[in-house]
DNA sequence: AGGTCGACCTGGCAGC
DNA sequence: TGCTGCCAGGTCGACC
């Protein structure tokens, strides 16, 4: 569900609210969401304190005092909520010694929690491309990586081995701001276009983080609040509504099995 | 080897 | 009201 800005918002909230706290107990209401056997999951967490809260792409990494990591993939509907009221979707409850509770809620149960001895143990994390805000992501990198690709540019933006953390909403928004058609073949991206993709990726993602993410449906931050970026969204989920630049109708197409929204007039 | 597709699971919504 | 079908922000493995 959440993309980089939403996961980053949660990471910052958690950093503020659970850093250095010690875990007293862990309750598993539904082991389906665990990718580590319950017993090992619980024993890895109990009596440990929180050393750091990090993020790689859309993965949250909570570092423990035993040097292990709790990796959380929220997928479509996962939420990490502090001190909320547990409901039927609260599959894991982590209680701290000071009384604080961290809930893992997940309506669709696509999300995954696992214990890592080290980050390299995770196949997913090892496969991730550069972070959009990292030094390895640049216009030159985009140009180099697109040059030999025959896929539409939208599909490449969604590929986490190309760049980490960009999902369906922000891929649509970035391409709209670039004025690039999502069907445009990656191999035909010019130097000027790669520069635009780089600049707009940074701009869209930073604005979204500043607004604490976009809540389309299920996304909530660690306090259970909705994000505010939704009102700044220009094309996503706006099928048949007028383009905010040219009044032409926004179109929905399907690419690689995912909905793409774009303005056929502004995005050539 | 690169790329696409369906499956994973649940719930909201539109249409009949 | 109640049923059916479609849709959903991600990731993985099977397949072409």
């Amino acid at each position: 569900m959440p993309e980089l800005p939403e996961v980053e918002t949660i990471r910052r909230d958690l950093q503020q609210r659970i850093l250095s706290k010690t875990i007293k107990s862990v309750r598993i209401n539904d082991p389906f969401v665990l990718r580590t056997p319950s017993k090992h999951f619980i024993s890895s967490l109990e009596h440990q304190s929180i050393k750091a809260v990090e993020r790689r792409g859309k993965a949250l990494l909570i570092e423990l005092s035993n040097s292990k990591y709790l990796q959380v993939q929220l997928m479509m509907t996962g939420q990490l909520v502090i001190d909320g009221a547990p409901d039927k979707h609260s599959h894991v409850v982590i209680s701290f010694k000071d009384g604080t509770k961290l809930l893992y809620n997940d309506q669709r149960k696509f999300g995954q929690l696992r214990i890592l001895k080290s980050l390299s143990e995770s196949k997913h994390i090892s496969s991730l491309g550069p972070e959009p805000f990292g030094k390895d992501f640049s216009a030159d990198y985009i140009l180099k990586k697109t040059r030999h690709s025959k896929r539409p540019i939208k599909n490449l933006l969604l590929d986490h081995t190309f760049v980490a953390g960009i999902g369906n909403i922000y891929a649509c928004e970035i391409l709209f701001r670039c004025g690039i058609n999502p069907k445009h073949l990656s191999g035909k991206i010019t130097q000027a276009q790669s520069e635009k993709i780089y600049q707009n990726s940074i701009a869209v993602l930073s604005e979204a983080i500043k607004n604490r993410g976009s809540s389309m449906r299920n996304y909530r931050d660690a306090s259970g609040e909705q994000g505010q970026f939704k009102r700044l969204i220009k094309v996503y989920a706006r099928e048949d509504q007028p383009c905010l630049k040219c009044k032409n109708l926004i179109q929905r197409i399907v690419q690689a099995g995912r909905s793409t929204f774009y303005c056929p007039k502004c995005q050539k």
Side-chain angles (χ1 to χ4, degrees):
Chain A
M1 139 195 149
E3 306 181 28
L4 186 151
E6 291 75 29
V7 179
E8 179 62 18
T9 299
I10 295 168
R11 185 195 73 77
R12 292 178 184 185
D13 286 356
L14 291 181
Q15 171 118 306
Q16 248 185 2
R17 299 186 54 187
I18 64 168
L19 197 66
S20 308
K21 291 190 179 180
T22 302
I23 297 170
K24 188 174 133 198
S25 61
V26 178
R27 194 172 80 233
I28 312 293
N29 294 328
D30 191 340
F32 184 88
V33 297
L34 301 187
R35 292 299 176 276
T36 297
S38 297
K39 217 173 139 190
H40 181 219
F41 184 85
I42 294 172
S43 66
S44 299
L45 288 171
E46 278 183 350
H47 314 302
Q48 302 303 315
S49 60
I50 308 297
K51 249 170 88 179
V53 186
E54 292 159 22
R55 179 190 60 72
R56 258 311 257 128
K58 299 165 196 159
L60 264 174
L61 296 158
I62 300 177
E63 193 183 352
L64 307 162
S65 46
N66 57 11
S67 299
K68 292 180 184 177
Y69 290 87
L70 166 58
Q71 180 195 352
V72 183
Q73 293 289 147
L74 298 163
M75 299 294 236
M76 310 279 257
T77 52
Q79 306 173 343
L80 279 171
V81 179
I82 297 164
D83 287 337
D87 60 23
K88 64 172 176 173
H89 300 301
S90 304
H91 307 307
V92 177
V93 181
I94 297 175
S95 303
F96 294 91
K97 275 190 177 153
D98 69 350
T100 305
K101 279 186 172 31
L102 180 62
L103 307 178
Y104 178 72
N105 300 337
D106 194 346
Q107 184 186 88
R108 286 168 75 182
K109 291 195 275 192
F110 278 12
Q112 309 179 348
L113 286 78
R114 78 183 80 223
I115 300 292
L116 299 176
K117 273 191 226 121
S118 71
L119 295 186
S120 56
E121 195 184 315
S122 164
K123 230 167 75 185
H124 172 70
I125 290 171
S126 315
S127 73
L128 291 177
E131 286 289 323
F133 294 107
K135 61 173 169 40
D136 294 337
F137 188 63
S138 63
D140 283 347
Y141 170 82
I142 295 168
L143 194 62
K144 199 176 116 213
K145 293 293 269 191
T146 50
R147 199 169 291 157
H148 302 291
S149 169
K150 294 193 168 97
R151 315 160 76 182
I153 186 64
K154 159 78 176 343
N155 296 15
L156 198 65
L157 280 178
L158 277 186
D159 182 344
H160 62 227
T161 66
F162 169 67
V163 58
I166 295 178
N168 209 20
I169 298 178
Y170 297 108
C172 293
E173 294 301 312
I174 289 165
L175 290 175
F176 175 75
R177 292 209 199 183
C178 293
I180 298 174
N181 191 301
K183 291 182 277 192
H184 193 95
L185 289 187
S186 299
K188 297 195 170 163
I189 292 291
T190 63
Q191 168 86 47
Q193 286 175 321
S194 69
E195 189 64 47
K196 272 188 190 171
I197 293 172
Y198 173 71
Q199 296 294 347
N200 284 305
S201 301
I202 298 297
V204 167
L205 296 172
S206 355
E207 275 175 51
I209 293 171
K210 211 160 85 189
N211 284 277
R212 305 184 56 78
S214 316
S215 296
M216 299 308 290
R217 291 160 182 259
N218 303 75
Y219 166 73
R220 294 294 182 275
D221 65 24
S223 308
E225 300 293 324
Q226 299 199 16
Q228 296 304 309
F229 188 76
K230 191 185 172 195
R231 53 195 173 81
L232 300 174
I233 278 176
K234 307 273 199 298
V235 283
Y236 185 81
R238 294 195 63 245
E239 185 180 13
D240 290 336
Q241 294 178 46
C243 168
L244 298 172
K245 268 192 211 160
C246 76
K247 309 289 179 219
N248 216 53
L249 295 189
I250 299 297
Q251 269 191 19
R252 172 183 178 266
I253 56 171
V254 176
Q255 294 181 284
R258 320 285 305 275
S259 290
T260 298
F261 300 89
Y262 76 110
C263 171
K265 207 171 152 193
C266 296
Q267 295 175 258
K268 295 288 181 197

